[in-house]
Amino acid sequence: MSENPNKADTAGSTDSGFYQKHTIIHPRKTSGRFTDLRKWAVWALLGLYYVLPWLTWKGQHLVLFDLPARKFYILGQTFWPQDIFYLAILLILAALVLFFVTALAGRVWCGYACPQTVWSEVFLWIEQWVEGDRPQQIKLDKAPWNKDKITKRTLKHVLWLVFSLLTGFTFVGYFVPMETLWTATITGTLGGWALFWVLFYGFATYGNAGFLREQVCIYMCPYSRFQSAMFDKDTLIISYDEARGEPRGSRKRGEEKPSDKGDCIDCTLCVQVCPTGIDIRDGLQYQCISCALCIDACDSIMDKMGYERGLVRYTTEHALHGGVTHVLRFRTFVYAGLLLLITAGLLYSISQRVPLEMDIIRDRNALFRDTGDGNIENIYTLKVINMDAKPHEFAVSVAGIEGIELRGAETIKVDSGRVAEVPVKVIVNPDHMTERSQEVMFHIEAKDDASLAQTQKARLLGPKL
């Protein structure tokens, strides 16, 4: 086996050490169907990230997490801290989607959609545009600090920093309206927490995508460590066909394949294009992010040599050893069933969600009071939260006992995003009560929107029967 071109010279070291010196990896450019697919994925995800904070719908931002106002605008819906339940469900769904996709297709999330992969890919494009492909970058690393090297390195880092700050600026735009943020930036009045997070997230992007890159995937990401628990012999992975490729041996293009050699010509191109610096021919490794660049690289060599494609390919362990792949299996049914069930429940809950909340707080200073005309009264405080995007006037009523009467706040006007606390009196003839503590129902309804309504139970206290 040839030496891995991306590995450091480890002569005199042992594999049992706890620390391995970092070696800069310069992936080689390649082309092919999977490379094109990754480029489209990067452009689509970056476009979504940078454009989404600017989009509005009916005068409101499509996505905005307004923390000072405690409002979260998502796709035309306004959510409040009271709706944290939906966030928990979304996180569960995201985890289930990851488990489901991993069980079917391995680490395609890492290879095509992970933010670390997406931003690292852009930084790599910038690096290759400024410094050239892998051979030119290695040569530049070894060159002395002359004018050419200083110019290229300076330009590269300037472009990295500009792109990082744009990323940080856009990130803050998800929490501060873009119009406000942009105006403050061009007028030089941006400061405080907004400026802090622009710089913090910008330099985090600069560090992760510019310097750490594969180290985040290998050492920091927990997914690479527990992914094996979701893999089985029917999971789609990138594999080297050892039975077809071994024994390896170099040869010239057009030369007849030696009878004692396999299809692998030991060009190491699959290693040179790998963003994490592994050799796929060593078998399945947790460092592999399933980006499929090694497939494109190997296919290009097979085309040049006149061999069949697929020496390195997406396959399953069962298929690789001549077995049958089972896409539909127990774990995929479980993941798919849970996804459908929770997604349906979430969509139904959101469709039935009423942006109104009412709490009824009973006055604990007195159980009840005799009004002097044969009736009794209980005092409550109605706490009404209008979570709709516009103000409403609400009609309040109470029911549950014959002749029951509400006084003090037959109507309550509440602005959007505001909380109104109103004391009310409930008066009833004790002769109509069947129990000393009896349940009554408070009903609140917007006068301009009958769907904006809520009913809450409360206990009304009276004298001993």
Side-chain angles (χ1 to χ4, degrees):
M1 184 185 298
S2 66
E3 182 183 27
N4 186 337
N6 279 334
K7 290 182 179 177
D9 183 4
T10 56
S13 65
T14 64
D15 292 335
S16 60
F18 290 102
Y19 175 77
Q20 181 180 359
K21 184 179 179 181
H22 175 240
T23 303
I24 297 176
I25 296 175
H26 296 297
R28 182 186 289 272
K29 289 182 181 179
T30 187
S31 59
R33 48 184 175 159
F34 294 111
T35 302
D36 292 340
L37 181 60
R38 291 183 82 238
K39 288 180 180 178
W40 281 109
V42 168
W43 283 114
L45 293 170
L46 285 178
L48 186 66
Y49 174 80
Y50 289 108
V51 171
L52 201 55
W54 293 94
L55 301 180
T56 59
W57 175 258
K58 295 182 178 180
Q60 182 55 57
H61 285 272
L62 205 58
V63 176
L64 177 65
F65 306 104
D66 192 349
L67 295 180
R70 294 181 296 176
K71 296 180 183 180
F72 309 97
Y73 303 99
I74 303 175
L75 304 180
Q77 295 283 333
T78 304
F79 295 93
W80 298 80
Q82 292 86 348
D83 298 314
I84 193 69
F85 165 78
Y86 294 115
L87 175 61
I89 296 298
L90 284 175
L91 292 176
I92 293 173
L93 279 175
L96 284 174
V97 169
L98 184 62
F99 298 160
F100 179 66
V101 171
T102 302
L104 287 177
R107 293 183 67 179
V108 291
W109 158 262
C110 296
Y112 296 88
C114 175
Q116 177 65 20
T117 298
V118 170
W119 266 268
S120 294
E121 190 71 8
V122 175
F123 273 59
L124 184 60
W125 292 346
I126 295 174
E127 187 174 59
Q128 291 172 340
W129 180 72
V130 175
E131 298 182 354
D133 201 3
R134 171 184 163 83
Q136 290 77 31
Q137 291 179 32
I138 295 176
K139 183 178 179 181
L140 189 66
D141 285 345
K142 297 177 180 179
W145 283 95
N146 52 30
K147 181 179 179 181
D148 180 64
K149 184 172 181 177
I150 293 174
T151 301
K152 289 182 177 180
R153 288 290 164 87
T154 301
L155 176 60
K156 178 182 74 173
H157 285 280
V158 168
L159 293 176
W160 278 2
L161 282 170
V162 170
F163 187 73
S164 299
L165 291 174
L166 175 62
T167 301
F169 178 83
T170 305
F171 174 77
V172 176
Y174 282 91
F175 300 89
V176 178
M178 267 298 186
E179 299 81 0
T180 303
L181 190 63
W182 177 250
T183 301
T185 301
I186 61 177
T187 57
T189 58
L190 182 66
W193 285 108
L195 179 60
F196 169 80
W197 285 111
V198 168
L199 296 176
F200 179 86
Y201 201 80
F203 280 102
T205 303
Y206 178 68
N208 286 337
F211 297 94
L212 297 179
R213 291 187 185 172
E214 78 287 345
Q215 296 180 81
V216 174
C217 304
I218 296 174
Y219 301 112
M220 302 180 188
C221 177
Y223 178 51
S224 65
R225 302 293 178 173
F226 67 75
Q227 59 168 323
S228 59
M230 293 172 279
F231 277 32
D232 57 30
K233 293 184 178 181
D234 292 305
T235 299
L236 197 64
I237 56 176
I238 296 178
S239 295
Y240 164 68
D241 193 339
E242 187 174 353
R244 174 185 157 189
E246 300 295 327
R248 310 169 195 171
S250 61
R251 70 211 67 152
K252 296 180 180 179
R253 186 194 303 186
E255 180 182 326
E256 185 177 352
K257 184 173 70 172
S259 59
D260 61 338
K261 299 294 182 182
D263 284 356
C264 180
I265 65 171
D266 208 14
C267 64
T268 71
L269 198 62
C270 58
V271 183
Q272 296 179 42
V273 300
C274 180
T276 59
I278 66 169
D279 190 338
I280 194 63
R281 298 172 297 178
D282 293 339
L284 180 62
Q285 301 154 71
Y286 76 89
Q287 296 96 330
C288 177
I289 62 172
S290 293
C291 63
L293 297 181
C294 55
I295 297 180
D296 284 339
C298 187
D299 283 348
S300 68
I301 297 299
M302 293 297 102
D303 291 343
K304 292 176 182 178
M305 298 301 297
Y307 301 161
E308 182 184 356
R309 287 187 169 197
L311 180 60
V312 179
R313 63 183 183 273
Y314 274 115
T315 185
T316 66
E317 191 174 345
H318 272 152
L320 194 63
H321 295 93
V324 178
T325 299
H326 301 89
V327 176
L328 301 178
R329 51 198 192 274
F330 178 73
R331 68 169 61 196
T332 57
F333 276 120
V334 171
Y335 289 146
L338 288 174
L339 277 172
L340 290 175
L341 183 64
I342 297 177
T343 302
L346 177 64
L347 294 177
Y348 177 78
S349 178
I350 292 177
S351 67
Q352 299 299 311
R353 174 178 172 269
V354 177
L356 171 68
E357 187 169 317
M358 176 174 62
D359 290 329
I360 304 170
I361 306 171
R362 196 179 184 287
D363 185 5
R364 300 185 181 277
N365 293 324
L367 298 180
F368 65 90
R369 190 175 71 86
D370 191 338
T371 61
D373 57 359
N375 294 326
I376 61 169
E377 68 178 17
N378 282 216
I379 299 177
Y380 303 86
T381 298
L382 300 185
K383 187 176 181 181
V384 181
I385 306 176
N386 178 16
M387 297 184 290
D388 199 17
K390 60 182 181 179
H392 292 282
E393 188 173 3
F394 299 93
V396 185
S397 61
V398 64
I401 301 176
E402 182 184 348
I404 193 169
E405 184 181 349
L406 178 72
R407 294 180 185 175
E410 289 78 7
T411 60
I412 303 175
K413 187 174 182 179
V414 189
D415 290 333
S416 172
R418 297 296 181 179
V419 180
E421 295 189 13
V422 181
V424 296
K425 297 178 181 179
V426 176
I427 300 175
V428 67
N429 188 328
D431 294 337
H432 295 156
M433 296 180 64
T434 58
E435 301 177 45
R436 185 184 181 189
S437 176
Q438 194 164 336
E439 187 176 86
V440 294
M441 309 295 292
F442 282 85
H443 182 74
I444 184 170
E445 181 179 310
K447 292 185 175 182
D448 58 343
D449 186 355
S451 66
L452 202 61
Q454 192 175 94
T455 300
Q456 289 281 356
K457 299 177 181 179
R459 304 299 298 186
L460 186 139
L461 299 179
K464 294 183 180 180
L465 300 178

